[in-house]
C-alpha cells in the first residue's frame, strides 16, 4: 500500500513452515487449509472464470446458441465465421480499434515508465530545493477524479484540432503521479547510495547514472508499472469516448460499445469482439501473472 | 494510496541511514558542467510531470470551476458566454433528475461495495492458509480485473437478458418468473452491482491478503492456546489489525464507485443509453454529466455537475473514513508493529 512496500515483483512468502512442530496443534490447525477452504476458493475461481468461458462459448457458435434451452456450455466451431463478420463490419471498425489501442497503450506505457523512473530517481537520490514540497504536490494530484477536467479538456483538444485523433487520448496520460511515487519508493530502497556514489566517482553525469546504474536496478518496478499502465490504457473508456467521437477511428473499447449497441442481434459477432479484445490482456496475464499479483500485493496498483 | 501515504511524505528517503545526505550533492568539486548538471538536472527530470500535468490536469481543473459559473454551450468562449454565478449549482440542486442520478449512484455504490469488501475479506482469509496451487488460485480470482468494463458489461448484459439470459433460466428452476433486469431501478442496481463486484472482489482480496501476511503469526498461536476459535480470531484479531487496509480499500472503492459510468451505460443500451433507460432507472451522476455535455452541449452545466460529483465523493470519503476508523482498533503494540511493516 505504501510504497516502502514496492520491493519485489514476486509474491511474499507464506507461513514459515518451521512453525509446524513448535506451535503445537491448535495454532497449526488454523493455517491448514480445510476442504471448506478449497471449496470456497474453487467456487470463487469458477465464478471468476465463468463469464469469460461463456464469452468464448457464444463466440464460437452461431446466433441461435443464445436462445437454446438448455443453453450451450461447450464451444462450437463457428469462431472463424463470427470473426469474419466482425472484421468486415464497417460500422465497428474493429481492426482499426485494435491497432489504435495497441498504439496508444504502447506509447503511453513507454513514456509513463520513462518519465516516472526519471522523476522517481531525482526524488529518491538527488538533492534539490523544494524536493519534498514537489513530491507532496504530485501526491495531491493523485486524488483528483478524471471527470473534473474532461469538459475543458475536450474544448482544448477541439481548439488544437486534436479531437478525433490519437494524440488527444495519449497526451494527457504521458505522466502519472502514481508512477512517480512508486518509482521514488522503489529507487530509494532498491538502489544503494554506494552504487550511485561510485558512478559519480567514475565521472558519470546524472543522466548516465540514471541510464546505466539506476534504470537496470528498477527493472522489477518498471515491469509492474508498465503492465498496469498498459492494461489501464487498453481498457480505458470514458475519455476516449469523448475525445474520439469519429466512428471510423475508435479504440477497441469504443468498437465494442458500438457493436453491442448497434448490432444487438448478432450476439456471436459481438462476443467474438469481446473475446478478441480480452485475448491480448489474457496473454499478458498468463505470462506475467505472478508479477501482476506481486505488484498488487505490494500495493503497486493504487491508481 | 495518496490518502494514506500523504501522512508521511516528508521523510526523505536518503535520510534513513542515520541522516546521511543523498549521494549527489551539489557542492562537491567537479567541472563547471558537472556542477550545473548536479544542481539543475533534477528539475529537468521532474519537469515532464509538472509540464504535462499543468497543461492537461491543472489548467482544465481551474477552467472547470470557471465554466461552471457560466451559461456556456458548444462554441462559447470566455467573451461570448454569459456569467450566471451559482445559478447552475442552484438549478441542479432543485432538479429531480440530478437527485435521481445521485440516488442511483449511491445505491449501486453501497450494493456493490459492502458485499465486495466482505467477500474479499473471506477470500483473503482463505487464500492466507497453507495452500496447494497458491499462485493459480490467486490468478484465478484476479482474472476478472484484467477484463475491460466494456467486455464485462456486454457479457453480463447477455447473462441478465430477460428472455434468454442464463440468470433468468437458472432462477426459473427455483420458480422465479423471468425478471426484466433493465426495466426497474432495483433490478438494474442488482445487475450493475454484480458486474462491479465480479470485477473487483479478487483484486481487493489480494490487497487484504498482503496485509494479513504481515500480521505476526505468533499472536494467533497464543490466542489458539487460550482456546479462541478460528472464526473468533478472524473477527477479534485479523479484522481489527487490518483496519488501516480496510480504511484504505473503502476510500478507494468509494472514489471509484461514485464515478460509475461504463457498466450502467452499456447495460442500459436502447435508444439513448446516457439517460439510463426510459425512466432514468440506472442513470448515474457521471452519465448525467455526459447527458449535459454530450447530448445537450451545455458545457457550463456539465462542469457544474463535475464539481457536484467531486463534492459528493469528498463527503462520502469523509463519512467512510470516520466509519471505518471507528471499527474496533487493535491494541497499540500491534498497531506499532504494523506501522513498521507497511
Amino acid at each position: 500500500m505504501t510504497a516502502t512496500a514496492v520491493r519485489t515483483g514476486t509474491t511474499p512468502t507464506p507461513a514459515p513452515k518451521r512453525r509446524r512442530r513448535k506451535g503445537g496443534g491448535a495454532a497449526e490447525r488454523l493455517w491448514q487449509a480445510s476442504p471448506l477452504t478449497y471449496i470456497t476458493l474453487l467456487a470463487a475461481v469458477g465464478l471468476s472464470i465463468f463469464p469469460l468461458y461463456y464469452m468464448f462459448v457464444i463466440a464460437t457458435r452461431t446466433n441461435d446458441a443464445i436462445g437454446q434451452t438448455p443453453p450451450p456450455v461447450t464451444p462450437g466451431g463457428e469462431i472463424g465465421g463470427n470473426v469474419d463478420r466482425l472484421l468486415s463490419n464497417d460500422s465497428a471498425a474493429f481492426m482499426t480499434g485494435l491497432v489504435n489501442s495497441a498504439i496508444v497503450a504502447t506509447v503511453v506505457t513507454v513514456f509513463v515508465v520513462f518519465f516516472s523512473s526519471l522523476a522517481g530517481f531525482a526524488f529518491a537520490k538527488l538533492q534539490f530545493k523544494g524536493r519534498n514540497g514537489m513530491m507532496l504536490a504530485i501526491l495531491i494530484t493523485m486524488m483528483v477524479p478524471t471527470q473534473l477536467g474532461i469538459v475543458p479538456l475536450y474544448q482544448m483538444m477541439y481548439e488544437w484540432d486534436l479531437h478525433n485523433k490519437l494524440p488527444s487520448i495519449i497526451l494527457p496520460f504521458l505522466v502519472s503521479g502514481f508512477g512517480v511515487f512508486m518509482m521514488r519508493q522503489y529507487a530509494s530502497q532498491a538502489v544503494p547510495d554506494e552504487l550511485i556514489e561510485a558512478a559519480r566517482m567514475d565521472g558519470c553525469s546524472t543522466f548516465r547514472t540514471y541510464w546505466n546504474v539506476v534504470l537496470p536496478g528498477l527493472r522489477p518496478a518498471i515491469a509492474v508499472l508498465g503492465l498496469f499502465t498498459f492494461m489501464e490504457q487498453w481498457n480505458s473508456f470514458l475519455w476516449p469516448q469523448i475525445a474520439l467521437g469519429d466512428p471510423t477511428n475508435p479504440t477497441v473499447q469504443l468498437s465494442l460499445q458500438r457493436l453491442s449497441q448497434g448490432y444487438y442481434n448478432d450476439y456471436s459477432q459481438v462476443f467474438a469482439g469481446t473475446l478478441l479484445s480480452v485475448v491480448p490482456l489474457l496473454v499478458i496475464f498468463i505470462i506475467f501473472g505472478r508479477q501482476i499479483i506481486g505488484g498488487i500485493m505490494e500495493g503497486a496498483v493504487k491508481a | 494510496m495518496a490518502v494514506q501515504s500523504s501522512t508521511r511524505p516528508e521523510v526523505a528517503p536518503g535520510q534513513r541511514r542515520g541522516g546521511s545526505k543523498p549521494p549527489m550533492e551539489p557542492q562537491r568539486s567537479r567541472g563547471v558542467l558537472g556542477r550545473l548538471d548536479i544542481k539543475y538536472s533534477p528539475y529537468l527530470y521532474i519537469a515532464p510531470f509538472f509540464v504535462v500535468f499543468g497543461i492537461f490536469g491543472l489548467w482544465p481543473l481551474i477552467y472547470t470551476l470557471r465554466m461552471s459559473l457560466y451559461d456556456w454551450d458548444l462554441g462559447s468562449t470566455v467573451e461570448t458566454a454569459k456569467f450566471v454565478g451559482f445559478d447552475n449549482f442552484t438549478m441542479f440542486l432543485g432538479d429531480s433528475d440530478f437527485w435521481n442520478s445521485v440516488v442511483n449512484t449511491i445505491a449501486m455504490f453501497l450494493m456493490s461495495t459492502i458485499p465486495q469488501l466482505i467477500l474479499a475479506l473471506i477470500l483473503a482469509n482463505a487464500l492466507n492458509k497453507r495452500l496447494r496451487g497458491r499462485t493459480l488460485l490467486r490468478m484465478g480470482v484476479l482474472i476478472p480485473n484484467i477484463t475491460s468494463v466494456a467486455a464485462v458489461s456486454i457479457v453480463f448484459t447477455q447473462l441478465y437478458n430477460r428472455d434468454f439470459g442464463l440468470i433468468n433460466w437458472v432462477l426459473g428452476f427455483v420458480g422465479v418468473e423471468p425478471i426484466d433486469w433493465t426495466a426497474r431501478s432495483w433490478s438494474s442496481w442488482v445487475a450493475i452491482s454484480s458486474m462491479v463486484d465480479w470485477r473487483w472482489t479478487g483484486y481487493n482480496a489480494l490487497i487484504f491478503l498482503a496485509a494479513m501476511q504481515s500480521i505476526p503469526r505468533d499472536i494467533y498461536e497464543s490466542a489458539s492456546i487460550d482456546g479462541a476459535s478460528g472464526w473468533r480470531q478472524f473477527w477479534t484479531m485479523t479484522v481489527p489489525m487490518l483496519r488501516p487496509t480496510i480504511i484504505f480499500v473503502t476510500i478507494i472503492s468509494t472514489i471509484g464507485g461514485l464515478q460509475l459510468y461504463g457498466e450502467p451505460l452499456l447495460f442500459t443500451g436502447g435508444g439513448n443509453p446516457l439517460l439510463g433507460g426510459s425512466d432514468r432507472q440506472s442513470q448515474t451522476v457521471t452519465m448525467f454529466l455526459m447527458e449535459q455535455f454530450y447530448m445537450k452541449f451545455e458545457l457550463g452545466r456539465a462542469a457544474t455537475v463535475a464539481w457536484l460529483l467531486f463534492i459528493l465523493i469528498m463527503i462520502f470519503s469523509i463519512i467512510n473514513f470516520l466509519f471505518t476508523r471507528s471499527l474496533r482498533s487493535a491494541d497499540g503494540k500491534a498497531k506499532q508493529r504494523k506501522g513498521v511493516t507497511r
Side-chain angles (χ1 to χ4, degrees):
Chain A
M1 225 110 299
T2 57
T4 44
V6 185
R7 224 167 316 139
T8 59
T10 54
T11 40
T13 16
K17 292 221 162 105
R18 57 192 138 77
R19 290 235 172 272
R20 184 159 289 187
R21 253 168 249 142
K22 210 176 136 202
E28 191 44 39
R29 245 174 283 129
L30 197 66
W31 303 113
Q32 211 58 262
S34 64
L36 187 69
T37 313
Y38 280 107
I39 292 169
T40 311
L41 287 174
L42 289 176
V45 171
L47 279 174
S48 296
I49 291 176
F50 178 73
L52 294 177
Y53 178 70
Y54 179 73
M55 182 196 292
F56 179 65
V57 170
I58 302 298
T60 56
R61 286 181 168 260
T62 58
N63 275 313
D64 7 309
I66 290 275
Q68 281 169 21
T69 335
V73 287
T74 52
E78 302 293 325
I79 181 79
N82 295 333
V83 170
D84 281 347
R85 277 206 313 292
L86 172 71
L87 296 184
S88 57
N89 178 348
D90 290 335
S91 78
F94 196 80
M95 209 54 214
T96 314
L98 277 180
V99 172
N100 280 346
S101 288
I103 293 172
V104 171
T106 308
V107 171
V108 170
T109 302
V110 169
F111 275 96
V112 163
V113 164
F114 176 61
F115 287 150
S116 300
S117 57
L118 200 55
F121 159 61
F123 279 117
K125 297 293 178 189
L126 302 180
Q127 214 186 25
F128 53 96
K129 269 197 195 114
R131 186 176 65 172
N132 295 334
M134 287 188 226
M135 192 61 228
L136 186 64
I138 290 180
L139 290 176
I140 290 170
T141 65
M142 287 162 58
M143 291 194 280
V144 181
T146 31
Q147 272 92 335
L148 208 47
I150 53 176
V151 180
L153 203 54
Y154 172 79
Q155 243 201 350
M156 212 156 106
M157 295 303 173
Y158 196 88
E159 276 165 25
W160 292 355
D161 203 24
L162 288 177
H163 72 293
N164 291 339
K165 296 178 183 149
L166 293 189
S168 66
I169 58 172
I170 292 177
L171 290 172
F173 302 100
L174 291 183
V175 296
S176 147
F178 166 71
V180 175
F181 176 69
M182 176 183 162
M183 287 297 169
R184 181 193 79 149
Q185 298 302 119
Y186 195 89
S188 63
Q189 291 236 330
V191 183
D193 287 354
E194 291 77 12
L195 215 57
I196 291 174
E197 193 94 34
R200 199 175 52 105
M201 292 297 186
D202 292 346
C204 277
S205 66
T206 49
F207 189 80
R208 269 203 70 187
T209 309
Y210 157 78
W211 193 256
N212 290 344
V213 176
V214 178
L215 211 51
L218 292 177
R219 204 175 295 145
I222 286 172
V224 171
L225 180 64
L227 288 167
F228 289 138
T229 308
F230 191 91
M231 286 195 200
E232 200 185 323
Q233 289 303 316
W234 183 271
N235 288 338
S236 112
F237 183 63
L238 175 67
W239 175 244
Q241 195 196 12
I242 297 167
L244 301 182
D246 177 3
T248 62
N249 191 33
T251 62
V252 69
Q253 308 301 334
L254 298 180
S255 294
L256 284 183
Q257 185 202 10
R258 207 156 285 130
L259 270 176
S260 80
Q261 284 171 351
Y263 283 72
Y264 219 58
N265 293 319
D266 195 346
Y267 295 104
S268 299
Q269 187 192 132
V270 177
F271 275 54
T274 54
L275 185 67
L276 288 190
S277 80
V278 168
V279 162
L281 292 191
L282 269 180
V283 170
I284 292 178
F285 187 62
I286 288 165
I287 299 172
F288 297 105
R290 210 179 268 274
Q291 279 83 352
I292 294 171
I293 288 168
I296 290 174
M297 299 226 347
E298 301 280 346
V301 75
K302 286 313 108 83
Chain B
M1 154 140 286
V3 179
Q4 258 191 354
S5 48
S6 58
T7 54
R8 25 172 269 179
E10 68 284 349
V11 180
Q15 284 163 8
R16 294 238 175 92
R17 267 169 231 182
S20 74
K21 285 187 171 176
M24 284 213 168
E25 289 175 56
Q27 54 273 77
R28 296 291 178 93
S29 75
R30 311 183 90 205
V32 176
L33 270 180
R35 269 206 308 277
L36 286 178
D37 174 31
I38 285 187
K39 192 161 182 192
Y40 293 111
S41 59
Y43 296 105
L44 212 60
Y45 300 163
I46 62 171
F49 179 87
F50 287 100
V51 172
V52 176
F53 180 78
I55 298 173
F56 298 105
L58 188 63
W59 187 83
L61 211 64
I62 295 164
Y63 221 72
T64 301
L65 188 57
R66 177 166 194 176
M67 286 174 93
S68 69
L69 303 176
Y70 285 81
D71 181 7
W72 192 306
D73 51 26
L74 204 65
S76 289
T77 60
V78 187
E79 290 84 37
T80 58
K82 186 168 160 269
F83 183 81
V84 293
F86 284 99
D87 281 7
N88 288 334
F89 285 88
T90 48
M91 186 195 73
F92 283 127
L93 292 179
D95 180 352
S96 61
D97 286 344
F98 170 73
W99 285 110
N100 169 66
S101 74
V102 172
V103 169
N104 283 338
T105 307
I106 294 174
M108 284 185 255
F109 154 66
L110 291 174
M111 285 169 72
S112 58
T113 309
I114 295 171
Q116 187 189 128
L117 295 188
I118 294 173
L119 284 173
L121 270 175
I122 293 170
L123 265 184
N125 197 47
L127 284 168
N128 199 22
K129 310 265 169 171
R130 190 174 300 132
L131 289 167
R132 278 170 199 282
R134 203 171 51 232
T135 308
L136 274 183
L137 288 171
R138 286 178 188 170
M139 281 175 77
V141 298
L142 189 63
I143 267 198
N145 196 248
I146 66 158
T147 56
S148 71
V149 166
V152 173
S153 310
I154 287 170
V155 174
F156 273 75
T157 301
Q158 188 48 44
L159 292 171
Y160 278 109
N161 188 300
R162 187 191 61 187
D163 300 316
F164 27 73
L166 212 57
I167 290 173
N168 275 349
W169 184 72
V170 170
L171 286 177
F173 286 116
V174 287
V176 179
E177 289 293 304
I179 297 169
D180 190 352
W181 293 95
T182 53
R184 307 267 285 282
S185 280
W186 70 266
S187 53
S188 57
W189 293 345
V190 170
I192 294 163
S193 304
S194 71
M195 299 177 201
V196 178
D197 282 340
W198 182 75
R199 195 144 173 264
W200 289 103
T201 303
Y203 173 88
N204 287 329
L206 290 182
I207 293 181
F208 284 140
L209 174 62
M212 279 179 189
Q213 294 193 334
S214 69
I215 300 176
R217 297 216 162 183
D218 27 336
I219 63 166
Y220 288 102
E221 219 157 88
S222 40
S224 297
I225 290 164
D226 291 345
S229 69
W231 190 241
R232 176 120 190 254
Q233 292 182 29
F234 178 71
W235 283 112
T236 59
M237 292 163 63
T238 309
V239 171
M241 302 251 270
L242 287 186
R243 209 177 53 130
T245 311
I246 293 175
I247 293 177
F248 171 74
V249 170
T250 311
I251 301 275
I252 291 295
S253 309
T254 307
I255 294 172
L258 292 175
Q259 294 182 40
L260 199 63
Y261 175 70
E263 290 93 341
L265 180 81
L266 280 122
F267 184 67
T268 303
N272 201 330
L274 280 180
L275 296 182
S278 47
D279 293 324
R280 297 172 181 271
Q281 57 268 32
S282 54
Q283 189 184 39
T284 62
V285 179
T286 305
M287 289 161 83
F288 186 79
L289 187 164
M290 286 291 281
E291 182 194 345
Q292 305 297 321
F293 178 17
Y294 228 54
M295 255 176 80
K296 299 184 173 170
F297 304 111
E298 294 279 6
L299 271 56
R301 291 183 186 168
T304 309
V305 179
W307 276 104
L308 290 171
L309 174 63
F310 183 58
I311 294 167
L312 188 73
I313 290 173
M314 285 294 126
I315 292 173
F316 266 83
S317 300
I318 293 167
I319 292 175
N320 278 334
F321 176 71
L322 294 176
F323 174 74
T324 39
R325 205 182 51 163
S326 71
L327 286 177
R328 229 199 93 193
S329 74
D331 64 87
K333 203 174 181 182
K335 242 192 248 167
Q336 221 173 11
R337 210 176 301 177
K338 197 137 187 50
V340 173
T341 52
R342 293 167 66 76

